Amino acid sequence: MLVLSRKKNESIVINNDITIVVVEIRGDKVRLGVEAPKEVPVHRREVYDAIRRNDAAAAQTRTPTSSGAESTPTGGATT
């Protein structure tokens, strides 16, 4: 893990197209701004973990159909 020190209004750049900016420091909380392309999902860790759990649960409820395609919880075939 790379650990960096930054002050308010300082930033880091990831892969030339993602910028993380320290917006505010208040006590033990740091507010960060994230500039990233629309196609790059950005989530807080707890939200990301919940999405992964929901995706895993949905994948377990899918069952193969007689044609070999998987069915989704709404009954449609996946591609």
Side-chain angles (χ1 to χ4, degrees):
M1 173 189 300
L2 174 64
V3 178
L4 302 170
S5 296
R6 301 279 72 201
K7 295 179 182 177
K8 184 177 177 178
N9 297 322
E10 292 183 336
S11 61
I12 62 170
V13 177
I14 301 169
N15 200 33
N16 296 324
D17 60 355
I18 300 171
T19 302
I20 311 294
V21 181
V22 177
V23 175
E24 183 178 18
I25 302 168
R26 201 183 300 172
D28 65 344
K29 298 218 181 207
V30 177
R31 294 186 71 195
L32 301 174
V34 180
E35 297 174 8
K38 279 189 167 190
E39 63 272 9
V40 175
V42 178
H43 302 288
R44 294 180 319 210
R45 181 58 173 209
E46 62 273 16
V47 172
Y48 174 79
D49 291 343
I51 291 169
R52 295 288 302 242
R53 282 192 303 273
N54 290 341
D55 289 349
Q60 289 180 354
T61 61
R62 293 182 184 133
T63 56
T65 63
S66 60
S67 66
E70 291 183 358
S71 65
T72 62
T74 57
T78 61
T79 56

